[in-house]
Amino acid sequence: MPATAKTLTAKASAKPRSPATLRTSVGRTERNCSVARTLDIVSDAWAFLIIREAFFGTQTFEAFRSALGLPRATLTDRLKKLTQLAIFRQVAPGSSQRKEYRLTKMGFDLYPSFIALMQFGDRWLSKGKPPPLTLIHNNCGCDSHPIVTCSHCGESVGARDAKYRDGPGAGRSPAKSGRNTRRPSDGSRFVLGRPSSVSRALEIIGDKWSFMVVREGFFGNRRYDKILTELAIAPNILTDRLNRLVASGVFYRRQYQSAPDRYEYLLTDMGRDLYGPFIAMLRWGDRWLSKGKPPLILTHLKCGHDFQPSVDCDRCKQPIVAADMRYRLAYDPRSFGALGPRSVE
């Protein structure tokens, strides 16, 4: 994802186009984006909840169902899709006929993105309450509050610390059908099951339009007409998402014209803090879904080098890996019909 508006506007290579030119014979097109590809998976609430439970040691159909209360048909469908996507693999342990669903290397590699989202939720969405869980890093034995860093120099990276240029996968492609662009009318499903700061974060950016509008903020597009043109989005949907993002504290409005009144939408400190989770998801999408052609290449302004985002322990500076983490919970998972995590202190 890009950094500041000033830097990004200078780097952008594509000229503004009208909504009509952003449509092809097969429908709407959109910017190639590794973060969007990652959110194609985790912005489906059921898929996200299943992956989250897997990180806590859940492996069987009935254990997933107990923790999440999903209808059997829904759970069967999502487990099948996640297996087809190679997030899970099916295993029949020993002579048992009962199959287990275990995360693949690709699935485990989502863990840093979840942790980056968790840190955002802890900082901004806890409403003064203690976070649902505390991370303990086995490598250093410390309570850990992971940070997103530059893979070259190891220093933290924020929205004002990086610039970008087009990578070999840059361009536009037909919009993928079936994406989660609609907000659920019955309240967010992300909060089902155990308390979760990741769930709280995805309540804000978990539908694709909300994510894309925030992404345009990182690309330096602040004005309604510019965002409308870039996304080829219906005006009523854009108005709804902007209003929601302002209400949630991600954007603030600033008037730049009167008679008629017109406003631009700028990222708040909270909104800019989404940069870390965004580029953590970008790294995963680049690695697993870009076929070796990342759409963007990031450069760290402090050290001057291209970099891959890394989610590291803030104490020992080592990359966060799911197998190296223990947890201290502020709730009893049994109250939610859920397992562990098994490594609870």
Side-chain angles (χ1 to χ4, degrees):
M1 293 304 301
T4 63
K6 185 175 181 180
T7 300
L8 300 178
T9 316
K11 285 284 182 180
S13 60
K15 296 181 180 180
R17 287 163 284 184
S18 68
T21 63
L22 295 177
R23 300 179 185 276
T24 69
S25 59
V26 293
R28 188 179 64 84
T29 68
E30 60 189 23
R31 187 196 305 265
N32 292 342
C33 177
S34 289
V35 191
R37 293 166 182 164
T38 303
L39 275 173
D40 278 343
I41 296 172
V42 300
S43 69
D44 176 276
W46 299 141
F48 156 72
L49 291 167
I50 291 166
I51 295 169
R52 186 193 68 190
E53 289 306 309
F55 283 132
F56 287 132
T58 303
Q59 295 181 337
T60 67
F61 184 96
E62 291 303 330
F64 282 117
R65 190 162 180 267
S66 173
L68 300 173
L70 301 187
R72 286 186 175 274
T74 301
L75 181 56
T76 298
D77 175 73
R78 293 313 193 277
L79 286 170
K80 180 180 178 181
K81 288 181 178 178
L82 290 169
T83 301
Q84 291 171 341
L85 289 166
I87 302 298
F88 285 113
R89 58 189 175 92
Q90 282 189 294
V91 176
S95 58
S96 173
Q97 297 297 313
R98 185 187 65 181
K99 292 183 179 180
E100 294 182 350
Y101 294 87
R102 298 183 184 177
L103 288 163
T104 62
K105 184 177 180 180
M106 180 181 180
F108 272 116
D109 198 38
L110 276 168
Y111 187 77
S113 296
F114 276 45
I115 293 301
L117 283 166
M118 187 188 93
Q119 297 303 297
F120 172 84
D122 285 350
R123 282 191 292 269
W124 297 100
L125 306 173
S126 62
K127 299 179 181 178
K129 297 180 180 179
L133 60 83
T134 301
L135 299 170
I136 301 103
H137 192 207
N138 287 335
N139 293 21
C140 63
C142 297
D143 288 5
S144 182
H145 302 278
I147 55 177
V148 180
T149 68
C150 167
S151 60
H152 183 83
C153 69
E155 295 296 317
S156 63
V157 180
R160 293 190 171 104
D161 301 326
K163 63 181 179 179
Y164 83 100
R165 65 182 185 274
D166 285 346
R172 303 187 72 91
S173 300
K176 188 175 179 180
S177 62
R179 281 183 168 171
N180 179 23
T181 56
R182 301 180 66 180
R183 294 184 61 86
S185 58
D186 58 349
S188 177
R189 295 170 175 170
F190 289 110
V191 297
L192 288 180
R194 68 178 79 229
S196 168
S197 291
V198 188
S199 298
R200 294 168 184 164
L202 286 174
E203 277 190 276
I204 295 176
I205 62 161
D207 76 275
K208 288 301 299 295
W209 284 134
S210 294
F211 153 71
M212 287 182 172
V213 171
V214 175
R215 185 191 65 184
E216 290 306 307
F218 285 119
F219 279 118
N221 296 327
R222 301 174 173 180
R223 297 185 177 180
Y224 184 95
D225 289 344
K226 176 64 175 176
I227 299 170
L228 189 73
T229 296
E230 179 61 35
L231 298 182
I233 185 174
N236 63 311
I237 295 177
L238 178 56
T239 298
D240 173 76
R241 296 311 191 273
L242 285 169
N243 287 340
R244 289 177 182 271
L245 290 166
V246 169
S248 68
V250 173
F251 283 116
Y252 69 95
R253 290 186 181 91
R254 184 171 70 185
Q255 186 172 357
Y256 68 90
Q257 177 184 308
S258 57
D261 292 344
R262 294 187 184 275
Y263 298 85
E264 57 185 3
Y265 296 83
L266 294 90
L267 289 162
T268 62
D269 289 344
M270 175 183 171
R272 284 192 295 272
D273 200 36
L274 279 167
Y275 185 78
F278 273 34
I279 63 172
M281 289 187 283
L282 177 145
R283 186 204 68 87
W284 189 86
D286 281 351
R287 181 175 184 182
W288 297 103
L289 304 174
S290 71
K291 299 179 181 179
K293 295 182 178 181
L296 295 179
I297 296 173
L298 300 176
T299 303
H300 190 201
L301 296 176
K302 291 184 179 179
C303 70
H305 288 272
D306 295 345
F307 73 99
Q308 295 290 325
S310 178
V311 181
D312 297 346
C313 174
D314 65 322
R315 303 298 294 272
C316 68
K317 311 303 182 184
Q318 294 300 306
I320 292 295
V321 178
D324 296 335
M325 307 307 294
R326 290 180 291 133
Y327 310 90
R328 186 166 55 247
L329 302 184
Y331 63 91
D332 184 352
R334 292 172 297 183
S335 299
F336 300 90
L339 297 179
R342 295 170 182 170
S343 55
V344 178
E345 275 195 331

